[in-house]
Amino acid sequence: MAKVNHMVMGVQSSGKTTFAAALWYLIDSRELDTVLRKGLHNGDFQYLETIADNWAAGWQVIRTPTDAHEPIRINLKQPGGEEDIDLNFIDLSGETFERIFATRAIDARVESLFEAMDGLLLFVSAIRKKDDMSILDIGLAMPEAMPPEVEDDGEDPQAETLKPVEDPEFTPGKTPQQVQIVDLLQSIADAPMGLRPSRIAVIISAWDKAPPVMPDIWLKDRMPLLYQYLANHELAVPFRIYGVSAQGGSLPKREKPDTPSQRTELLKVKVAGERIKVVGHGARAHDLTHPIQWLSGLED
Ligand SMILES: Nc1nc2c(ncn2[C@@H]2O[C@H](COP(=O)(O)OP(=O)(O)OP(=O)(O)O)[C@@H](O)[C@H]2O)c(=O)[nH]1
Ligand SMILES: [Mg+2]
């Protein structure tokens, strides 16, 4: 039996658990046609049932606590295919991801997850604001911060504007997302690990909050370092970029139901699976399994 093991990765709040919840709902309910279907499931999938129920009821999924390596396993199969495809998702909490970046150390459990990886489902969120700026961006955004142009009177024009700045303490979580992601991909590809995914599908989550551009344009604009890294390694590691709205819009937390959101509007969609939106590479409008089919090398 063919076994494909994909890893799900992304920094904190990048939409991983919401995707798993919506995917489980979609394949379990069979409300809509998808390119991959639910495969054989053994063991305990209570956690998936819980988060999928929560999703269907129109609540945000609960955050994955640090170090909770919730073994999210969703087995899928291609209709008409002779064998079931055993597909595993590994949900690493965003904080664990950031700790790897900050400490340069990876614990044995996480290392074995990387060793077993075939494809990589890499999550970034359209909600998080652009979190890094070039010197040019700063100049454009804050013209008043630029030193005034003065006539050359022989004195150093910057002498007054250059004031000593206190070094803020290094907070790893504040490092731009794309730097953390590229650093991690590069570190696992280097010795001693030497691990590369066979393919990378970038999922831009919360796509309902993105401007009306195609997902690859969004990534090029918002995360140029990551885009450049992916493009430079494309021959060895093919990649694709999808925009995905797993919730379809904003939802409140169950314990804070009055937070302003699009819940009422979303609950009016009769077929819950139709709240989901997928953009890119010919995916059907609600088909979250499309990127996974490609990742598995099963696209025609
Ligand atoms: N508007 C909108 N928000 C979304 C969507 N998907 C996820 N979110 C929000 O994004 C936030 C993070 O989603 P999670 O699925 O918890 O992200 P995660 O990557 O599992 O986060 P950690 O477990 O903390 O690492 C939550 O507030 C979600 O409600 C979406 O399709 N649309
Ligand atoms: Mg999570």
Side-chain angles (χ1 to χ4, degrees):
M1 189 187 285
K3 276 205 170 195
V4 194
N5 181 63
H6 300 312
M7 184 158 181
V8 176
M9 190 171 95
V11 296
Q12 231 179 76
S13 295
S14 55
K16 305 174 293 288
T17 309
T18 309
F19 183 93
L23 176 61
W24 184 260
Y25 179 87
L26 193 65
I27 56 168
D28 195 41
S29 68
R30 296 188 176 208
E31 281 175 351
L32 299 166
D33 209 15
T34 50
V35 287
L36 298 181
R37 305 257 173 88
K38 189 176 162 194
L40 284 176
H41 279 83
N42 302 312
D44 183 11
F45 35 91
Q46 178 65 44
Y47 178 67
L48 275 167
E49 302 265 319
T50 308
I51 59 174
D53 286 350
N54 214 50
W55 177 89
W59 306 113
Q60 277 189 31
V61 295
I62 42 164
R63 282 207 52 210
T64 312
T66 317
D67 284 334
H69 291 279
E70 270 304 343
I72 298 184
R73 296 212 163 85
I74 301 180
N75 300 334
L76 301 164
K77 64 175 180 183
Q78 193 152 32
E82 289 190 358
E83 295 167 324
D84 281 334
I85 302 144
D86 186 9
L87 190 71
N88 294 321
F89 278 74
I90 295 135
D91 187 26
L92 211 61
S93 97
E95 281 155 24
T96 312
F97 185 89
E98 281 173 10
R99 214 180 38 229
I100 297 170
F101 170 75
T103 61
R104 326 294 307 154
I106 200 163
D107 77 43
R109 270 181 317 169
V110 180
E111 185 183 0
S112 61
L113 300 181
F114 278 115
E115 276 168 354
M117 160 178 69
D118 290 311
L120 174 63
L121 209 56
L122 178 61
F123 278 74
V124 297
S125 170
I127 294 178
R128 186 154 158 173
K129 290 197 185 76
K130 191 168 174 174
D131 59 359
D132 48 2
M133 290 183 120
S134 72
I135 295 285
L136 286 177
D137 293 327
I138 292 172
L140 288 171
M142 300 192 298
E144 68 279 4
M146 301 297 277
E149 282 187 30
V150 289
E151 282 176 27
D152 187 3
D153 54 6
E155 288 185 21
D156 179 358
Q158 288 191 339
E160 269 190 33
T161 52
L162 286 180
K163 295 191 180 111
V165 181
E166 258 181 53
D167 270 347
E169 208 173 304
F170 173 56
T171 314
K174 288 190 178 160
T175 309
Q177 279 188 14
Q178 55 166 347
V179 174
Q180 295 187 47
I181 295 166
V182 170
D183 178 74
L184 188 61
L185 292 175
Q186 186 76 72
S187 304
I188 62 164
D190 280 349
M193 292 177 79
L195 301 169
R196 281 175 197 271
S198 54
R199 293 180 173 195
I200 299 179
V202 179
I203 304 292
I204 306 172
S205 70
W207 190 246
D208 52 284
K209 298 287 177 252
V213 292
M214 284 310 283
D216 51 344
I217 302 289
W218 186 94
L219 199 76
K220 239 186 227 178
D221 177 54
R222 299 298 183 99
M223 299 192 150
L225 176 74
L226 174 60
Y227 188 86
Q228 202 176 35
Y229 180 85
L230 295 170
N232 279 341
H233 294 85
E234 190 173 13
L235 281 181
V237 184
F239 73 99
R240 271 188 178 183
I241 303 165
Y242 288 84
V244 169
S245 176
Q247 288 180 179
S250 55
L251 291 175
K253 295 191 172 86
R254 194 185 272 269
E255 64 279 14
K256 288 188 183 163
D258 298 329
T259 313
S261 74
Q262 293 165 286
R263 180 166 188 263
T264 314
E265 198 181 301
L266 287 166
L267 290 181
K268 284 184 191 150
V269 180
K270 287 207 178 71
V271 177
E274 289 181 356
R275 289 187 222 148
I276 300 166
K277 300 279 179 302
V278 180
V279 176
H281 306 282
R284 260 176 293 193
H286 319 293
D287 190 358
L288 291 176
T289 69
H290 198 274
I292 302 160
Q293 184 198 40
W294 176 75
L295 216 50
S296 312
L298 293 170
E299 206 172 86
D300 294 337

